[in-house]
Amino acid sequence: MYPDRVVSGMRPTGPMHLGHYHGALQNWVRMQAQQPCLFFVADWHALTTHYDDPSIIERATWDMLVDWLAAGVDPSQATLFIQSRVPEHAELHLLLSMATPLGWLERVPTYKDQIDNLAGRDLSTYGFLGYPLLQAADVLIYRASEVPVGEDQLPHIEMMRELARRFNHLYGKEIGFEEKAAAAVKRLGGKRAKLYMEWRQAYQQDGNADALEQARAMLDDAQSLTNIDRERLFGYLEGSRKLILVEPQAKLSSASRLPGLDGRKMSKSYGNAIGLREDKDSVTKKVRTMPTDPARVRRSDPGDPARCPVFQLHEVYSDAATREWAVQGCTSAGIGCIECKQPVIDAIVAEQQPMHERAQPYLDDPTLVRAIVADGCDRARKLAQETMRDVREAVGLGYL
Ligand code: TRP
Ligand code: SF4
């Protein structure tokens, strides 16, 4: 009933690294060619933890947008925007907050973890507790069907599904819905009206999913219906509720987690990251000084790739033949570590080359990025406003 829209966001927390590329951006680039995608900078979310340091957000926002463009996110395919430029997200957040039990927020596992992890900050704030609720608004406002996220975000997606369900349950009942739906069925015309009622019954009484599909296809084709009647009939098929918000699905990225320079997950806070647009010399130096199998002290000692963080990078960056060469050379002491690292360096540099090229025009002329975002904000805002009209009406604030 709603298009297969994809929505995802990232907090602007500084320059992106290759872990972000392999973990998320590659996935975005893949999805943008297949479905309508909205990608946004979650600047309000950045404020939930860094509210005491407003100096970094703006810079980090523009840098991150250049990183996205460098990675291949394409503004002619996807909509790129900044969360705070679409204030409807805040309105939906507020309206959702009215009926969100506090316990739902307190129970989100990331909530207590983060408070412990970021012990240096005072996070006993209302904004931080509401983090997943704002995230729910970000997605629900576009009636998105899919949300590409990392595994750590699954509890947030689960909560937004519960919120959508609860919202539809509380507010999805239009006054006089049954009568209006019955009138819409009549307007389908005799034969189709009869089929519709049969299919509805087959679905509701016997759970016949085919019948549901057929009925939906017919509604999609029924030219004579107004949009609002079509919506009603979609809702009437499944029960007697109107779907106002859509339950989205998490879409986990298929990419493996990129190891950092020390073999742990690549992360800025571990100091083991390679920047998305880091220059070649610096990449070369970082990989050359990476730790290797600690048991391989001298060049003549054989090593064990399973104990070596460099080999983990081979697993991401090298083809089977190169990996085989590394294993052979390492375990027989046939190659030295510097030699073994070279194909990894070359592969990383080759991966970054097109990113540097794509970033250059935006570095030369930052107004290009601003124009892309201005356009994206307009497009996103139109979609958000459509949903908000229905939401306001549903909660009794239609004033029409
Ligand atoms: N919480 C997400 C993260 O830390 C960022 C985010 C904010 C987000 N709003 C979103 C992700 C909506 C997906 C959809 O990664
Ligand atoms: Fe690691 Fe390669 Fe050195 Fe073996 S040869 S220890 S795999 S860097």
Side-chain angles (χ1 to χ4, degrees):
M1 160 165 47
Y2 295 110
D4 278 344
R5 233 177 247 153
V6 172
V7 172
S8 197
M10 279 188 210
R11 281 169 300 147
T13 50
M16 313 216 82
H17 52 66
L18 290 176
H20 295 119
Y21 179 65
H22 287 261
L25 290 171
Q26 255 184 346
N27 209 25
W28 287 14
V29 170
R30 218 173 300 123
M31 293 181 101
Q32 71 183 356
Q34 293 158 3
Q35 285 156 273
C37 289
L38 294 126
F39 300 130
F40 68 94
V41 180
D43 55 348
W44 279 333
H45 278 108
L47 277 181
T48 62
T49 48
H50 292 65
Y51 57 87
D52 54 353
D53 185 8
S55 68
I56 56 163
I57 291 189
E58 185 169 1
R59 174 81 205 274
T61 293
W62 297 117
D63 285 351
M64 186 162 82
L65 284 160
V66 174
D67 284 334
W68 291 1
L69 294 162
V73 176
D74 176 0
S76 71
Q77 301 189 75
T79 299
L80 306 186
F81 68 99
I82 297 172
Q83 181 187 40
S84 66
R85 299 287 92 194
V86 185
E88 284 77 8
H89 290 220
E91 186 184 355
L92 182 57
H93 174 232
L94 177 81
L95 292 178
L96 290 174
S97 80
M98 301 303 172
T100 303
L102 271 180
W104 286 21
L105 295 168
E106 288 160 348
R107 259 194 282 115
V108 174
T110 45
Y111 177 61
K112 289 221 166 60
D113 291 356
Q114 284 276 66
I115 287 201
D116 295 342
N117 285 348
L118 302 175
R121 300 179 191 280
D122 183 5
L123 292 180
S124 48
T125 60
Y126 175 65
F128 189 66
L129 179 67
Y131 184 113
L133 194 59
L134 178 59
Q135 185 168 351
D138 294 338
V139 173
L140 299 178
I141 204 162
Y142 300 106
R143 294 170 161 147
S145 57
E146 285 184 300
V147 192
V149 283
E151 217 163 341
D152 61 312
Q153 296 289 308
L154 289 180
H156 292 173
I157 308 297
E158 195 42 47
M159 204 191 79
M160 57 180 87
R161 294 168 56 83
E162 282 164 13
L163 282 163
R165 229 174 290 147
R166 180 172 167 86
F167 190 95
N168 289 333
H169 179 75
L170 284 171
Y171 305 114
K173 188 107 182 158
E174 192 180 14
I175 297 163
F177 178 81
E178 309 271 343
E179 293 75 24
K180 286 177 185 166
V185 174
K186 273 215 188 88
R187 282 194 282 273
L188 275 174
K191 188 165 156 243
R192 282 189 303 190
K194 185 159 165 280
L195 274 174
Y196 176 90
M197 291 308 286
E198 283 167 10
W199 280 328
R200 178 174 183 266
Q201 191 178 22
Y203 175 67
Q204 290 196 2
Q205 288 184 359
D206 316 320
N208 183 337
D210 279 346
L212 181 64
E213 274 311 301
Q214 281 177 293
R216 283 180 174 160
M218 177 186 72
L219 292 176
D220 273 330
D221 280 350
Q223 309 272 322
S224 61
L225 284 180
T226 61
N227 280 338
I228 185 89
D229 272 347
R230 183 174 294 115
E231 295 266 310
R232 283 192 187 108
L233 292 184
F234 271 121
Y236 194 51
L237 274 176
E238 292 181 76
S240 57
R241 299 207 174 273
K242 199 174 152 212
L243 278 188
I244 302 167
L245 299 176
V246 172
E247 284 180 51
Q249 214 113 49
K251 171 105 183 167
L252 285 178
S253 105
S254 53
S256 55
R257 160 174 291 201
L258 188 71
L261 295 164
D262 55 2
R264 289 186 292 172
K265 176 185 184 228
M266 188 176 284
S267 151
K268 189 172 87 172
S269 56
Y270 291 159
N272 65 357
I274 298 176
L276 195 85
R277 291 183 279 127
E278 198 156 327
D279 66 74
K280 186 177 167 179
D281 290 347
S282 163
V283 171
T284 306
K285 193 162 147 216
K286 276 189 179 172
V287 177
R288 284 218 177 121
T289 52
M290 267 180 80
T292 59
D293 174 3
R296 197 171 184 205
V297 183
R298 278 174 302 255
R299 165 73 174 76
S300 53
D301 298 333
D304 179 2
R307 295 162 174 273
C308 177
V310 177
F311 193 72
Q312 291 189 46
L313 289 179
H314 271 298
E315 284 183 323
V316 176
Y317 282 102
S318 299
D319 57 20
T322 310
R323 284 199 304 270
E324 182 56 26
W325 164 83
V327 171
Q328 281 295 326
C330 179
T331 52
S332 64
I335 58 172
C337 291
I338 291 288
E339 221 179 325
C340 179
K341 287 170 170 177
Q342 194 56 45
V344 170
I345 295 172
D346 294 341
I348 294 174
V349 169
E351 175 173 77
Q352 289 171 316
Q353 180 59 28
M355 301 202 214
H356 284 296
E357 283 165 18
R358 277 190 294 255
Q360 199 54 50
Y362 301 113
L363 299 174
D364 294 341
D365 182 3
T367 64
L368 292 176
V369 185
R370 291 184 185 7
I372 287 168
V373 167
D375 179 53
C377 290
D378 282 349
R379 274 190 281 165
R381 215 164 166 201
K382 287 215 177 68
L383 300 174
Q385 282 168 344
E386 270 173 37
T387 308
M388 285 315 295
R389 261 195 297 277
D390 292 351
V391 167
R392 277 189 218 114
E393 195 188 294
V395 302
L397 305 175
Y399 300 117
L400 290 174

